[in-house]
Amino acid sequence: MARTKSEDDKPVSFAERLAASEAFKAMFREGMSLVEEAAAYLDGPGREEAKALPRAESLAYAAESMRLTTRLMQLASWLLLQRAVNEGELTTDQAASEKRKVKLSYQENAAAPEVFARLPKALRDLVCESTRLQARILHLDQLLYHDPGAPFATPAASPVEEQLTLLRAAFC
């Protein structure tokens, strides 16, 4: 007997299951906690630490703190949109439309690795945590919102960029 295709026959989307799972809730809590931790640091001890830095490190601190803030706001926006989908407040299509307003992209550190290594440890730790979270969210976003007919976007490999990435990873 021939069966007709129904909604029940549709393959299960691992990404959609993951996005609605306890793992996503943990990622959401981690992201929001990181936003709060970064704000508390930058408004408190970080401000004092920045005043004591030499000029080159002070400029790098300002650039890294701006990038950190921007990165965290992008990640928080994405997490809030995905939570709205999970809670039925938005459809996936609505979230995809809203997501276009959120510039979710990988950001490199602003400072050169040798200067980054001289920044306060608390800032370096926040930057490293935020880039790890960013990589996880970018991966999940790619799985959820990628057009299955389109090829995955792969960045052009640059030998210099690969070496810089390895150096940055050594300090995170």
Side-chain angles (χ1 to χ4, degrees), residues 54-138:
R55 181 165 171 72
E57 287 79 1
S58 181
L59 291 172
Y61 180 96
E64 289 298 342
S65 64
M66 286 188 339
R67 284 230 175 141
L68 172 65
T69 303
T70 301
R71 182 182 307 116
L72 288 174
M73 290 303 103
Q74 291 169 348
L75 299 178
S77 295
W78 189 93
L79 288 166
L80 288 166
L81 275 173
Q82 191 56 47
R83 184 179 73 169
V85 170
N86 294 350
E87 294 179 356
E89 297 169 10
L90 290 176
T91 66
T92 304
D93 290 339
Q94 289 170 323
S97 176
E98 288 297 315
K99 193 179 82 61
R100 287 190 248 293
K101 299 174 189 172
V102 176
K103 181 74 172 143
L104 188 62
S105 61
Y106 182 74
Q107 292 179 340
E108 293 288 337
N109 291 350
E114 66 278 1
V115 177
F116 185 80
R118 294 190 303 265
L119 294 177
K121 181 176 179 351
L123 178 66
R124 291 192 325 258
D125 290 347
L126 288 167
V127 167
C128 290
E129 285 181 54
S130 72
T131 55
R132 281 192 291 274
L133 179 62
Q134 180 183 45
R136 290 169 37 213
I137 288 175
L138 283 169

